[in-house]
Amino acid sequence: MSEQLLGGIEKLKIERNAVILAHNYQPDEIQDLADFRGDSLGLSIKAAETDADIIVFCGVKFMAETAAILSPQKTVLLPDKLAGCPLADMITADQLRELKEKHPDALVVCYVNSSAEVKAESDYCCTSANAVEVVNSLPEDKPIIFVPDQHLGQFVSERTGRDLILWPGYCHVHVVITEQDIENAKTMHPDAVVMAHPECTEQVKALSDQLLSTGQMLRYADKSDAKKFIIATEIGMIHALKKQNPQAEFIPASEKAVCPNMKRITLEKVLWSLQDMQYKVAVPQDIRTKAKKAIDRMVEILPR
Ligand code: 13P
Ligand code: SF4
């Protein structure tokens, strides 16, 4: 069955000059099918660079929207229209406008996990891979509003030594990983390196050795001499890491860290998406132009 699906996808991909991009949290078979797999920053760069006519974005809506903003001449398809990100929905453009009124001198940095409307209200956009570099690039005398993820914001504040005006958003997948989970995993695997995503709670991050975006986790594991890693992020990462380093051991900090929205994408939906050209993700021109300024800055400021 899956052979047939894969064959059908491959055929349509060629006929339509399409490229398949997949985030590191996608189901294993979608990661394996993709032309490019990566973190939010890497996928945004790929989406901007590709000369394909169609991008099938296997991820969540804000990722497909970012691709549509960067490449309006391409058709961007999200195979499941309900694949959203609850963190991105935790702040609306109206709420951000209200916050800006309270801090009229502040610059606004939004995490890429946000709607196109919120990006349009922001000066800079960032991902977890370059949030520190983006904030470090801003003038020292300017207050900074950082939305919507409070935990990434705390991490950036610590790394840059700057006070940020934070918004109380959070990722429900990362906050289920507890201090106890890390302590238990460390007791069972005392020789393992703990890698955590900055969206984890401050308590979990304090117990971790490395705080990294998903793409940075892959690069770190590849270069490291360590052979065992405890992974505090969405469990899709385990497949991505094992595929790259089959000789190393990757232990999920919590089996409960599953993003149901990422797992909405299936092989069937990718095939239907290419057959029916569904679901097209487009951003109205006025929002797109404003949001693009913030996103262009995000893809220009690369992590060290
Ligand atoms: P990365 O940018 O690190 O891939 O993370 C995206 C995300 O949604 C984290 O939950
Ligand atoms: Fe959003 Fe969290 Fe899922 Fe990432 S893991 S897409 S932040 S809900």
Side-chain angles (χ1 to χ4, degrees):
M1 177 61 178
S2 103
E3 296 288 286
Q4 254 177 316
L5 286 171
L6 291 172
I9 293 168
E10 198 51 41
K11 188 167 165 278
L12 278 171
K13 217 176 74 175
I14 296 165
E15 274 172 29
R16 299 207 188 278
N17 188 26
V19 68
I20 299 179
L21 305 185
H23 187 264
N24 290 322
Y25 296 161
Q26 282 291 291
D28 301 357
E29 62 280 14
I30 302 291
Q31 294 192 26
D32 295 344
L33 161 83
D35 297 300
F36 300 102
R37 178 183 42 72
D39 66 3
S40 311
L41 184 61
L43 293 176
S44 300
I45 294 170
K46 278 284 174 225
E49 282 174 358
T50 179
D51 50 17
D53 296 314
I54 290 158
I55 298 172
V56 182
F57 214 116
C58 300
V60 292
K61 188 177 165 207
F62 76 81
M63 297 178 176
E65 259 182 5
T66 305
I69 292 167
L70 283 166
S71 302
Q73 72 289 1
K74 291 167 199 157
T75 300
V76 180
L77 302 175
L78 183 63
D80 185 311
K81 70 173 169 194
L82 297 179
C85 168
L87 165 61
D89 296 336
M90 281 184 191
I91 189 164
T92 63
D94 278 344
Q95 287 172 314
L96 179 53
R97 279 190 284 270
E98 264 175 49
L99 189 62
K100 282 164 71 172
E101 273 166 29
K102 286 191 197 141
H103 304 278
D105 296 336
L107 288 170
V108 180
V109 179
C110 72
Y111 188 23
V112 69
N113 299 43
S114 56
S115 66
E117 291 78 8
V118 163
K119 291 183 175 83
E121 286 295 327
S122 302
D123 300 297
Y124 288 77
C125 186
C126 70
T127 76
S128 57
N130 67 355
V132 169
E133 286 79 5
V134 168
V135 168
N136 269 334
S137 76
L138 304 181
E140 272 175 28
D141 57 337
K142 280 277 194 188
I144 299 169
I145 293 173
F146 188 96
V147 297
D149 189 66
Q150 60 181 302
H151 300 296
L152 176 64
Q154 289 283 359
F155 161 78
V156 174
S157 178
E158 267 168 43
R159 289 279 164 107
T160 60
R162 295 188 66 158
D163 268 339
L164 302 177
I165 301 154
L166 297 179
W167 186 258
Y170 61 90
C171 162
H172 72 103
V173 179
H174 284 84
V175 301
V176 302
I177 305 171
T178 62
E179 261 172 287
Q180 198 57 55
D181 288 330
I182 307 292
E183 271 160 7
N184 292 348
K186 279 172 114 167
T187 308
M188 285 173 67
H189 309 279
D191 51 339
V193 174
V194 184
M195 298 201 274
H197 196 277
E199 286 177 18
C200 290
T201 64
E202 281 51 69
Q203 293 86 337
V204 163
K205 285 184 286 204
L207 293 171
S208 303
D209 302 305
Q210 297 292 330
L211 306 179
L212 303 164
S213 78
T214 63
Q216 289 169 334
M217 285 183 187
L218 283 158
R219 285 190 286 281
Y220 185 88
D222 201 32
K223 285 199 190 128
S224 169
D225 292 332
K227 289 281 158 275
K228 236 184 200 190
F229 301 86
I230 294 163
I231 307 300
T233 192
E234 210 277 346
I235 56 157
M237 261 323 278
I238 303 291
H239 180 71
L241 286 159
K242 272 192 187 155
K243 203 171 165 178
Q244 178 190 260
N245 276 12
Q247 72 292 352
E249 198 181 336
F250 299 97
I251 303 122
S254 169
E255 296 279 358
K256 290 190 199 138
V258 180
C259 177
N261 282 285
M262 286 282 181
K263 307 307 188 218
R264 294 188 77 94
I265 311 294
T266 62
L267 289 178
E268 285 85 349
K269 288 180 192 170
V270 173
L271 180 65
W272 297 333
S273 168
L274 275 165
Q275 265 168 358
D276 301 344
M277 296 292 282
Q278 297 273 26
Y279 294 91
K280 291 195 180 91
V281 176
V283 177
Q285 178 64 22
D286 53 334
I287 305 278
R288 193 189 81 77
T289 316
K290 287 198 222 156
K292 187 166 183 298
K293 280 193 199 137
I295 296 174
D296 281 343
R297 289 167 166 172
M298 171 184 97
V299 291
E300 273 158 22
I301 304 175
L302 296 177
R304 274 172 287 123

